[in-house]
Amino acid sequence: MLRILLAEDDNQTCQFVARGLREEGHTVLAVTNGEDALHLALGEMLDVIVLDRMLPGLDGLQVLQRLRAGAVATPVLLLTALGRIEDRVQGLNAGADDYLVKPFAFSELAARVQALARRRAPVTVATHLQAGGIEMDLLRREVRREGRPVVLQPREFRLLEELLRNAGAVVTRTMLLERVWDFHFDPQTKIVETHMSRLRAKLNDGFAEDAIETVRGAGYRIRTT
């Protein structure tokens, strides 16, 4: 099973492709504009990105260029109605791994997605995270702040892991709901806030400075200075 980002501005095509990929057992995050595509591609663990070239807002090439400039190496299949050789070359030069011209058969798209996933080099996942005086050993399931051990419950541990993996960046409430609880909807509860409060209390015990910063209207991040 693959985790796929599908960015396609035509709603009918987007729904058709997303449904087909899901029927093959994949998890599909579907968006219809470039800004959402870029946000998810930067923040999610993905196996393949299927990216329409003619997206509103940021177009597909702009999204692709920003991803590659940010060292995001996720394989990208670029979809386009532009079939000229120079258009394909431009897309490949921008960082696309493969190119599919519309109209296309779904079976071909699915086969190309599978091929890109097989070609992807294995990713080494860090098992030791550190930021702002906090250290996390994922193999030992241990956390320390300035050398002092901090005992966390599993959800608190996962919350802190997400913050440390994104040290210096804001992690939104929606991202935490998806990554820590696997919720793809808003449960209309204070589940994130409650667990974040408990995590803070444990991390800050004996310290004057709050280890976690709340960015009003945005989310949370680890204090790195």
Side-chain angles (χ1 to χ4, degrees):
M1 185 180 75
L2 302 176
R3 190 168 173 82
I4 302 167
L5 171 60
L6 169 63
E8 163 61 61
D9 72 327
D10 181 80
N11 278 317
Q12 187 174 2
T13 301
C14 187
Q15 291 173 16
F16 172 76
V17 173
R19 183 171 61 251
L21 291 171
R22 287 174 182 139
E23 287 174 352
E24 295 202 351
H26 305 307
T27 297
V28 181
L29 307 178
V31 298
T32 56
N33 65 75
E35 287 83 356
D36 287 345
L38 181 63
H39 174 74
L40 287 174
L42 290 173
E44 295 288 337
M45 296 291 288
L46 301 166
D47 296 298
V48 177
I49 298 171
V50 180
L51 184 64
D52 183 26
R53 177 165 173 162
M54 305 301 287
L55 291 171
L58 293 175
D59 67 29
L61 286 185
Q62 290 174 309
V63 172
L64 184 53
Q65 289 164 345
R66 294 192 188 189
L67 290 178
R68 297 312 187 221
V72 175
T74 307
V76 173
L77 172 61
L78 199 62
L79 304 179
T80 184
L82 305 174
R84 298 177 303 170
I85 292 294
E86 53 266 38
D87 295 317
R88 279 179 275 175
V89 170
Q90 187 179 16
L92 294 170
N93 285 340
D97 298 273
D98 199 358
Y99 205 99
L100 189 57
V101 177
K102 298 177 180 180
F104 53 82
F106 173 77
S107 57
E108 182 179 5
L109 181 144
R112 287 175 182 257
V113 165
Q114 289 284 6
L116 287 177
R118 287 195 299 269
R119 282 164 42 189
R120 185 177 186 185
V123 176
T124 301
V125 178
T127 59
H128 188 275
L129 306 175
Q130 184 173 357
I134 299 171
E135 297 180 67
M136 171 179 281
D137 187 323
L138 280 91
L139 298 181
R140 294 174 178 267
R141 308 297 290 180
E142 293 177 349
V143 173
R144 294 179 180 273
R145 182 176 182 186
E146 303 294 349
R148 296 186 190 180
V150 181
V151 179
L152 300 178
Q153 294 298 314
R155 295 289 188 188
E156 298 161 356
F157 191 93
R158 280 289 294 117
L159 276 176
L160 181 59
E161 179 185 348
E162 286 300 324
L163 294 174
L164 290 172
R165 287 195 183 279
N166 295 275
V170 174
V171 182
T172 68
R173 182 175 183 275
T174 299
M175 292 163 67
L176 292 173
L177 283 171
E178 289 184 348
R179 297 176 189 178
V180 178
W181 283 273
D182 199 28
F183 287 167
H184 300 284
F185 61 94
D186 189 340
Q188 300 297 318
T189 69
K190 296 290 186 181
I191 190 170
V192 173
E193 293 79 2
T194 298
H195 281 77
M196 191 65 72
S197 177
R198 293 173 183 165
L199 173 60
R200 269 191 160 118
K202 293 180 179 181
L203 286 175
N204 296 337
D205 187 21
F207 294 90
E209 185 176 40
D210 194 339
I212 300 171
E213 178 185 4
T214 299
V215 181
R216 190 173 299 276
Y220 306 91
R221 67 182 165 206
I222 286 287
R223 294 187 188 274
T224 55
T225 57

